[in-house]
Amino acid sequence: MLTAIGDMLNWAATGLLLPLLMLPLAAFIRNKRVAALFFLAAIAIVFGGASLFAILAADLRPPILSIGLIATCLAGVLGGAALIGANGAEALTRKIAPPIESIVRRVGRASLYLIIAMALAQFAAVILRYVFGLNFIAVQESITYLHGAVFLLAGGYALLTDDHVRVDIFYRDAPPRRKAMVDLAGTYLLMVPFCLVTLWAAGPYVANSWAVREGSMEQSGIKGVYLLKTLIPIYATLLLLAGFALATRAVETLRTRSA
Amino acid sequence: MEMFGANGFCLCGVTPWLDVAMIVVLCLLILAGYPVAFSLAGTALLFAGIGLAFGVFDPGFIRPLPQRIFGAVSNTTLIAVPMFVLMGVILEKARIAEELLEEMAKLFGSLRGGLGLSVTIVGALLAASTGIVGATVVTMGLLSLPTMLKRGYDPAFACGSIAAAGTLGQIIPPSIVLILLGDVISNAYQKAQLEMGVFAPKAISVGDLFAGALLPGLMLVGLYLAYQILVAVFDGKKTPAIPAEERGAPKEMIAVALKVLPAPLLLIIAVLGSILTGIATPTEAASVGAIGALLIAGARLSPSTGLFSGRMVVYFAAAAIVALLILTSFVDLRVGRVAPSAADQAAMALAAFLCALIPLGVIASGQSLVREKSLRPIADQTARITAMVFTILIGAAMFSLVFRGLGGEETIHRALAALPGGAIGAIIGVMFVMFILGFFLDFIEITLVVVPLVAPALLKMGLDPIWLGVMMAVNLQTSFLTPPFGFALFYLRGVAPPSVKTGDIYRGVAPFIAIQILALIILAANPGMATWLPHLLYD
């Protein structure tokens, strides 16, 4: 049951995120109606390709053909198309990019406090262990939780701040247009597939963990392993949102520089 | 390898080469400049898709990806990475590293070649904290290069010294890459032993690798210093001393040096010492390092007046930690024993009181960092570097899963076995490939992508895992120094004034590359150099 819900959530996330990711591409097209059509076609192709992949990779679970789910996704896609038709893709992108970017930044900045907390907790554990001979499994485990939360929550943020290392032998001195092209192509061809596959593979993994409310192996450990594992799809989602912001910037660069 | 897929069509002759093609395509894609972590994962998926279409890839290989990600979360050794990053960032942002360099330069500046020596020594010390090539090279390039040029140092010599000292961060423990390398090598070692039919495999730890890298690292420092002294003695024009009138009174200098140097030095020695002697795990030691760095920064930044002002509280906290250490080594403070004696109980009460002092100092330090508006940037940078490292780890996991699914491991085994000269030929081949890869990839990526692929095969040939790890580390360090693509040179070029020609940088590093190669030869001829200390400490 929970596995099915996990799948549904996955596909709902995909159903929402994919149209979002298609927006910056549609923003290349000035004609509102053509942009809307392009948007629909792109979604169809990506959904088709993704479904094909999911069917070939039977292990990653083919989509659940629930009518409600399909209806929701369809409504989202058609609604998106209608909005594009009315406002133009560029205006729409410009409207939603800042709030999305600020979500990713806020979540990433939450991890700043977790880092400090992690260092303090680890230090406290050291003092307790080496001076007083006390071991609290819960303290030890809380450090693991904090550690996981830090890098899983800050992954998307680091993409926005351009902290993920690049091999910049050629990139560094490239003109802004070429940089934008690399960012755009890389986001769609390299990063988005990775995030989607992570989402899909994590679905059943996390759902199984929820199903048994997976806790610590230790008696006095923290009973929240299922929550910790839930951070994995959240990580992929945040990366996708950051990817949207990155693509939007790249498209803007390409548009203004070419005009 | 399956030539005819169950649900694909045959393109015989192409599909067996997918694993090789995957690496070639990765190298090309990575040069475009998109973040490496995603290039790794994206290339892997591209080839997974091709493999699926041709029916030579089982998608089940991708399935363990969430487990791999969770493995990075739950691996307690890897928690040392954010802790050491935090320690390094605090030392950098609180300008402790800068001060160290300045004072050291004043101290040695009166000697011919003294500035060069101080760069090497500070590089070795900073190495112990950050371990990221770029950070150290940039810091020292910005701080020392202008001074050295102003004092009339030969630009080539100055650049060579700085670039070489900057790469020491890779090899001198506790560096972040050594933590990752230790984790990877230990997994590879387990795997190699299992495949050889050893079902009670010996384990190696990050501590082993730290201990193994210590002597070779110090040897490199020694060789650098020896070269610099030789230049100062025989070619003094390149390395003039600071004239006496600019140096200030020696007494003052020593007083300042005594104020600035001991704290960071003690911290580094304590962190490294507790790991090497096996008292603490790298993660635990790293947290002590981070909190220690916080206290040092707090002591520097707090106002000094008044008994209960920031600085005194910080001193109290530091004193409390030292007192706790002394107390716990003489008295058994463990709570929960049966009937501790009255004296022990009194000592426990004292220890509890001392413990209460520590949070006060930590809070005071935190406050002064907040006042300086540097706590937030510190945490921010730490979070971003941590996310970067672990995202590469995840991307590399995806890459290796698909690579394995396409039969890449077999290919590598066969290729290594086909090299002439057995184990020696194989290791020379691997070292050469890693050297070339070092031009394009950072140490972290090579550690996480290449080492897991080649290390099991090499270890099966009977090579010592610690020695192998140290050899790889020194080899990569050399690669980062080698023109025209060495990473350290790029970073230095980025911060060097335009008057310094790129040719100067290349000429300057040449002797240091020779030193590196000499060190590699010494290490290859005497594996004991890497294995002696770990065996002494842990066996």
Side-chain angles (χ1 to χ4, degrees):
Chain A
M1 178 59 197
L2 270 166
T3 321
I5 293 179
D7 278 344
M8 302 261 278
L9 279 177
N10 257 341
W11 281 89
T14 323
L16 284 174
L17 288 168
L18 272 183
L20 189 70
L21 285 163
M22 288 307 126
L23 250 185
L25 290 182
F28 269 119
I29 302 165
R30 282 171 212 278
N31 185 313
K32 290 174 185 173
R33 239 180 250 163
V34 178
L37 280 176
F38 166 82
F39 174 77
L40 282 177
I43 298 264
I45 291 170
V46 173
F47 261 124
S51 304
L52 190 70
F53 184 79
I55 290 164
L56 278 176
D59 236 39
L60 293 176
R61 285 175 192 278
I64 293 184
L65 299 176
S66 125
I67 295 175
L69 183 64
I70 291 178
T72 325
C73 291
L74 213 60
V77 170
L78 289 176
L83 276 174
I84 291 177
N87 300 316
E90 200 203 348
L92 198 62
T93 315
R94 220 176 261 160
K95 213 176 281 172
I96 50 178
I100 284 181
E101 207 174 312
S102 95
I103 290 175
V104 178
R105 277 181 195 276
R106 263 163 217 252
V107 175
R109 286 195 185 134
S111 69
L112 306 193
Y113 302 99
L114 303 183
I115 285 218
I116 307 279
M118 175 169 68
L120 293 177
Q122 179 70 65
F123 185 70
V126 170
I127 295 277
L128 287 175
R129 177 169 162 208
Y130 288 100
V131 177
F132 299 107
L134 294 173
N135 270 318
F136 294 107
I137 289 164
V139 173
Q140 209 57 53
E141 285 188 351
S142 72
I143 297 161
T144 298
Y145 278 64
L146 289 167
H147 163 68
V150 165
F151 78 81
L152 289 173
L153 292 181
Y157 175 51
L159 188 65
L160 286 183
T161 53
D162 199 16
D163 274 300
H164 287 294
V165 255
R166 303 166 182 268
V167 172
D168 57 358
I169 301 173
F170 301 117
Y171 185 85
R172 185 183 15 194
D173 299 322
R177 259 186 77 79
R178 195 174 311 148
K179 282 187 182 175
M181 264 148 76
V182 167
D183 283 349
L184 195 64
T187 302
Y188 283 101
L189 299 177
L190 300 171
M191 199 196 75
V192 169
F194 159 65
C195 294
L196 290 180
V197 168
T198 307
L199 266 183
W200 290 333
Y205 179 71
V206 175
N208 288 340
S209 181
W210 273 80
V212 295
R213 287 284 188 285
E214 189 180 357
S216 169
M217 307 277 241
E218 310 284 340
Q219 191 69 51
S220 54
I222 302 173
K223 307 257 177 277
V225 172
Y226 65 103
L227 292 174
L228 189 56
K229 286 187 174 170
T230 310
L231 286 174
I232 296 173
I234 291 178
Y235 166 78
T237 308
L238 285 170
L239 273 178
L240 281 175
L241 291 178
F244 167 78
L246 194 69
T248 305
R249 275 188 223 164
V251 169
E252 232 156 70
T253 311
L254 286 176
R255 282 180 59 114
T256 52
R257 298 268 162 173
S258 65
Chain B
M1 178 157 304
E2 197 188 356
M3 287 283 210
F4 300 92
N7 54 353
F9 49 94
C10 174
L11 225 134
C12 313
V14 172
T15 45
W17 292 98
L18 276 180
D19 48 1
V20 181
M22 186 167 158
I23 292 182
V24 175
V25 170
L26 174 73
C27 290
L28 294 176
L29 271 182
I30 246 172
L31 287 177
Y34 198 69
V36 178
F38 305 119
S39 304
L40 280 165
T43 312
L45 283 175
L46 178 70
F47 278 85
I50 297 174
L52 271 177
F54 289 139
V56 291
F57 180 75
D58 175 4
F61 278 99
I62 299 181
R63 237 188 133 60
L65 183 70
Q67 272 106 304
R68 289 291 197 92
I69 299 179
F70 191 69
V73 174
S74 56
N75 182 333
T76 48
T77 306
L78 293 182
I79 300 179
V81 172
M83 300 282 179
F84 275 125
V85 173
L86 180 61
M87 172 178 160
V89 174
I90 293 176
L91 289 179
E92 186 205 323
K93 294 257 174 189
R95 298 175 167 266
I96 294 167
E98 200 177 315
E99 210 173 55
L100 208 59
L101 196 58
E102 276 169 7
E103 291 312 317
M104 205 69 114
K106 277 188 203 151
L107 210 57
F108 287 105
S110 53
L111 303 169
R112 246 197 287 163
L115 286 178
L117 298 182
S118 71
V119 162
T120 303
I121 293 172
V122 174
L125 289 177
L126 285 186
S129 62
T130 40
I132 290 172
V133 190
T136 324
V137 174
V138 167
T139 313
M140 295 205 300
L142 281 174
L143 295 175
S144 319
L145 190 55
T147 322
M148 291 169 102
L149 295 176
K150 200 171 75 191
R151 302 290 177 202
Y153 267 62
D154 175 46
F157 178 78
C159 291
S161 302
I162 290 172
T167 59
L168 283 173
Q170 311 277 317
I171 177 82
I172 295 187
S175 87
I176 292 159
V177 277
L178 282 181
I179 297 173
L180 296 173
L181 191 61
D183 192 51
V184 169
I185 291 252
S186 106
N187 289 340
Y189 192 41
Q190 303 267 340
K191 199 173 157 209
Q193 290 180 87
L194 281 178
E195 282 174 17
M196 287 185 338
V198 182
F199 289 104
K202 275 185 287 184
I204 67 157
S205 67
V206 172
D208 284 320
L209 201 60
F210 277 7
L214 189 64
L215 284 183
L218 291 178
M219 171 179 76
L220 278 173
V221 177
L223 289 173
Y224 287 2
L225 291 177
Y227 163 71
Q228 287 169 327
I229 290 170
L230 281 179
V231 170
V233 169
F234 291 106
D235 202 357
K237 284 194 302 293
K238 282 186 178 174
T239 60
I242 299 178
E245 59 269 23
E246 287 178 41
R247 287 199 304 262
K251 243 190 203 164
E252 253 171 67
M253 255 164 44
I254 291 173
V256 174
L258 278 180
K259 223 170 111 190
V260 175
L261 294 180
L265 271 183
L266 270 179
L267 183 69
I268 288 161
I269 292 170
V271 169
L272 197 52
S274 57
I275 298 172
L276 291 183
T277 51
I279 297 173
T281 65
T283 311
E284 290 167 339
S287 79
V288 176
I291 299 295
L294 183 71
L295 288 177
I296 294 176
R300 269 202 74 238
L301 299 171
S302 305
S304 56
T305 45
L307 182 60
F308 290 100
S309 71
R311 191 172 292 183
M312 281 321 275
V313 180
V314 175
Y315 284 151
F316 280 141
I321 294 176
V322 175
L324 266 180
L325 270 178
I326 296 170
L327 197 60
T328 193
S329 51
F330 286 111
V331 190
D332 185 354
L333 298 170
R334 281 174 298 141
V335 222
R337 281 176 302 145
V338 189
S341 70
D344 282 358
Q345 279 179 349
M348 276 183 218
L350 179 60
F353 170 70
L354 288 172
C355 280
L357 286 177
I358 300 171
L360 291 180
V362 171
I363 291 169
S365 305
Q367 261 179 346
S368 44
L369 279 176
V370 169
R371 206 174 326 113
E372 294 278 313
K373 298 218 185 323
S374 49
L375 188 61
R376 208 183 156 83
I378 286 171
D380 195 64
Q381 200 177 343
T382 309
R384 278 151 38 185
I385 294 178
T386 307
M388 177 272 283
V389 172
F390 282 90
T391 303
I392 294 177
L393 198 125
I394 293 168
M398 176 73 108
F399 188 84
S400 68
L401 287 175
V402 174
F403 189 71
R404 192 164 302 158
L406 289 170
E409 266 186 346
E410 269 301 299
T411 312
I412 285 189
H413 274 250
R414 266 186 281 122
L416 287 180
L419 284 172
I424 297 173
I427 193 159
I428 292 176
V430 168
M431 286 294 166
F432 181 73
V433 171
M434 283 177 75
F435 183 80
I436 301 294
L437 285 175
F439 290 160
F440 307 103
L441 295 174
D442 205 341
F443 202 151
I444 300 173
E445 289 117 61
I446 296 182
T447 303
L448 294 174
V449 181
V450 183
V451 178
L453 296 177
V454 295
L458 287 176
L459 292 174
K460 266 210 248 174
M461 296 176 176
L463 296 172
D464 184 274
I466 300 171
W467 175 77
L468 182 66
V470 176
M471 283 290 281
M472 286 175 165
V474 178
N475 181 30
L476 282 177
Q477 195 206 344
T478 313
S479 172
F480 295 145
L481 271 179
T482 305
F485 288 127
F487 267 86
L489 309 180
F490 277 124
Y491 286 115
L492 187 60
R493 177 69 273 175
V495 294
S499 65
V500 175
K501 291 189 209 70
T502 305
D504 289 336
I505 300 182
Y506 291 174
R507 264 191 303 122
V509 290
F512 289 95
I513 296 170
I515 291 176
Q516 291 290 129
I517 293 170
L518 176 68
L520 268 176
I521 294 171
I522 295 176
L523 197 55
N526 308 290
M529 193 158 212
T531 54
W532 174 73
L533 191 59
H535 286 305
L536 183 76
L537 289 173
Y538 301 117
D539 285 351

